[in-house]
Amino acid sequence: MFGMEILKEFKKAYVLGISNNKKWTVSSIASKTVIYDSDTNKEVTVINFKNAGNVLFSDDDKYLILKNTSGSSWLFETSGFELVKKFLTSKKNQLKEGNICLTSENDVLVDVVSTEKGNQIVLLDINTGNIDYCTHNNETSIILNQYIKATNTHIFTLFNSGQGNKILKVENICNNPIKEEISIETLNQC
């Protein structure tokens, strides 16, 4: 149908992903994540990473990032799929289940954490491991929708039961002078 063909069938997979260069295919089930060679469909490696909720390759395919449903992200170099860094959060500041993305430079991971003061957009520096909090809002739930590479723009959805839902557009997130105490309304909005 429409020139489509099945490349590989997976008996069971909660999350699937493919590298940008289409060299690797990733399949995650409850207890492990399997990396396959996309050309041969042979298993390259198995990573004991439980409950993956998101799989992301950097634009240059140098890194693989796995995010699980309980608040941690692991960064692997794809040259040998060796673990480089773990981004772990506490119950007080927990990474939320959902989308993640990298900035255009492939060195900062954009994510959302749940804190006692509400949800916050965070930047996780891959090289240093530092976490910068970009926003603070104690009444709104935030979900990262996507990254638009052509305009270096991140799109978020803001949910507020009293005020309705909004789409938030943040351009050049690493260079934007966003500080923790500035309200969301001060950011660029669509």
Side-chain angles (χ1 to χ4, degrees), residues 10 12-18 25-28 55:
F10 297 91
K12 183 178 185 180
Y14 297 121
V15 178
L16 295 172
I18 191 162
T25 306
V26 180
S27 170
S28 286
V55 172

Side-chain angles (χ1 to χ4, degrees), residues 95-111:
L95 289 170
K96 290 185 57 125
E97 182 178 354
N99 292 333
I100 52 174
C101 64
L102 285 165
T103 57
S104 60
E105 296 81 19
N106 289 320
D107 60 353
V108 176
L109 186 63
V110 180
D111 208 339

